[in-house]
Amino acid sequence: MAYVFAAPGQAVVPVVGSTDLFPVHRIYCVGRNYAEHAREMGHSEREQPFFFAKPPDAAFVISEGMTGKLPYPGATSDLQYEVELVVAIGRHGSIVPEEKAAELVWGYAVGLDLTRRDLQAAMKAQGRPWEIGKSFDRSAPISAIRPIHLTGALASGRIWLDVNGQRRQDSDIAKMIWSVDQIIEHLSRYFVLAPGDLIFSGTPAGVAAVLPGDVLNGGVDGVGQLSLEIVTAAP
Ligand code: MN
């Protein structure tokens, strides 16, 4: 037996300080996980964490010291950044209690949950899934992964994003409404977590639109940085 065409390549993310590659299984994202961002999106009540997903090949790897070039995506006029701590999962887990959640964490990265906000808003208004707003090609720029043996379990650390040298997002991962361990507890009720999963843990306040020519630099202290230039899409 043979594949009827070449099998898709495995999405991978490099590992800091090594030539090893982290194979991506799934990409999960947490919605509204910082109070100030929830407020800027028009929500005030603490709510149960909720999740959406991006396809594994939405991961757009930007190596350390490089500036990724992202063609402005189609079908939108409101492309927005969301800088996020990304948690890389290294073990299987289902219905994982918060106290055991740390055992699943393999490492951390910095990611951008790029969003076609106009499409997301239209889908929200109609009660439809967010995929066209959230899960498009290259919608998940990500830095190399820093293994947890180099960082320890992270509970705090500045998270920030500059656009053209101006600070736009500036917070601390300690301000997440749901901690990494609590996110894993909740997410693992609905999905079997597996080695290779990436969890984008939510963004702080300050999200806004970007245009071709804009340069984004974001980071999480202790994890790394990521740099991205938005470029005009080829005709
Ligand atoms: Mn997000």
Side-chain angles (χ1 to χ4, degrees):
M1 294 214 290
Y3 292 123
V4 297
F5 44 76
Q10 170 67 53
V12 296
V13 180
V15 174
V16 171
S18 133
T19 55
D20 293 344
L21 299 171
F22 180 96
V24 181
H25 178 242
R26 293 178 183 167
I27 302 175
Y28 298 104
C29 303
V30 183
R32 296 195 286 268
N33 200 24
Y34 290 78
E36 286 170 16
H37 173 63
R39 280 196 287 275
E40 76 179 349
M41 299 304 287
H43 300 267
S44 56
E45 300 295 312
R46 178 179 166 98
E47 55 188 13
Q48 290 293 300
F50 69 93
F51 305 98
F52 57 93
K54 298 186 187 235
D57 66 355
F60 177 47
V61 171
I62 302 171
S63 300
E64 254 186 327
M66 304 292 285
T67 298
K69 290 192 187 304
L70 180 93
Y72 193 90
T76 185
S77 54
D78 192 9
L79 176 69
Q80 298 199 358
Y81 54 80
E82 298 187 354
V83 68
E84 308 199 0
L85 171 71
V86 179
V87 181
I89 297 294
R91 294 173 67 168
H92 284 96
S94 180
I95 318 178
V96 180
E98 181 182 344
E99 302 72 38
K100 298 247 181 197
E103 297 172 8
L104 271 66
V105 178
W106 194 89
Y108 304 96
V110 180
L112 292 176
D113 167 17
L114 291 179
T115 303
R116 295 193 284 208
R117 193 74 72 197
D118 43 0
L119 297 185
Q120 182 200 22
M123 294 303 100
K124 262 189 201 176
Q126 297 173 70
R128 290 180 178 168
W130 291 3
E131 262 78 0
I132 61 171
K134 284 289 196 181
S135 309
F136 53 95
D137 296 332
R138 290 177 285 205
S139 60
I142 186 168
S143 73
I145 295 171
R146 190 171 293 272
I148 194 168
H149 69 79
L150 297 180
T151 62
L154 291 181
S156 65
R158 195 168 194 179
I159 180 169
W160 52 273
L161 181 101
D162 294 345
V163 179
N164 304 327
Q166 301 278 93
R167 183 102 345 152
R168 296 289 191 83
Q169 293 190 278
D170 192 3
S171 188
D172 194 290
I173 59 171
K175 293 187 178 177
M176 290 196 292
I177 296 169
W178 301 97
S179 69
V180 168
D181 290 349
Q182 290 170 334
I183 290 167
I184 289 171
E185 178 179 45
H186 279 269
L187 189 58
S188 71
R189 293 177 191 168
Y190 303 106
F191 303 95
V192 178
L193 295 179
D197 288 345
L198 298 172
I199 305 172
F200 281 60
S201 59
T203 199
V207 299
V210 285
L211 291 168
D214 287 337
V215 177
L216 290 66
N217 280 288
V220 178
D221 287 359
V223 176
Q225 293 191 24
L226 162 161
S227 181
L228 181 70
E229 180 181 0
I230 312 296
V231 300
T232 305

